[in-house]
Amino acid sequence: MLTVIANFTFNPNHTLEMHNLFLEIVNNSKNASGCLDYKFYRNPDKTNNFVLIERWKNKSFIDAHISSEFITNAREKIKFAVLSPPQITFLKEIA
């Protein structure tokens, strides 16, 4: 099993738009093949900081998800609203 932690910081002018997009991403992704869990978090002290925490059966499911038409389109919208490239961490569960 793999966990993905994706941390985004958005231009504050795009926070509401990105919030709504991230809700769509979660709703679209949580039932994707191989997805075990998909959660969206916001920093209460820095409201333009969003975090996705995803759990997948294996990397091939992550790759399929990332290359899906929906996520490809979402990434195009995200790239115009982020202040810096997202920080993405892949973790393999050990115990």
Side-chain angles (χ1 to χ4, degrees), residues 4-94:
V4 179
I5 301 172
N7 192 322
F8 301 82
T9 301
F10 291 105
N11 177 321
N13 296 330
H14 294 283
T15 300
L16 179 59
E17 174 189 359
M18 291 297 103
H19 178 96
N20 292 333
L21 178 62
F22 273 49
L23 291 175
E24 287 181 43
I25 290 171
V26 170
N27 287 332
N28 180 273
S29 302
K30 65 183 177 183
N31 295 317
S33 181
C35 181
L36 303 172
D37 197 24
Y38 208 102
K39 302 282 187 187
F40 165 37
Y41 300 87
R42 284 182 70 180
N43 183 332
D45 298 320
K46 188 176 176 191
T47 59
N48 64 326
N49 176 230
F50 296 9
V51 177
L52 291 174
I53 299 179
E54 316 164 24
R55 290 180 46 237
W56 297 88
K57 287 183 181 179
N58 62 47
K59 182 127 174 24
S60 64
F61 290 110
I62 296 170
D63 292 341
H65 171 69
I66 290 170
S67 64
S68 71
E69 182 178 353
F70 179 81
I71 294 299
T72 299
N73 292 336
R75 288 171 64 192
E76 285 299 310
K77 294 175 185 175
I78 289 168
K79 78 179 184 180
F80 292 107
V82 292
L83 291 177
S84 58
Q87 297 175 354
I88 300 175
T89 304
F90 294 87
L91 304 169
K92 182 176 180 180
E93 186 172 318
I94 304 302

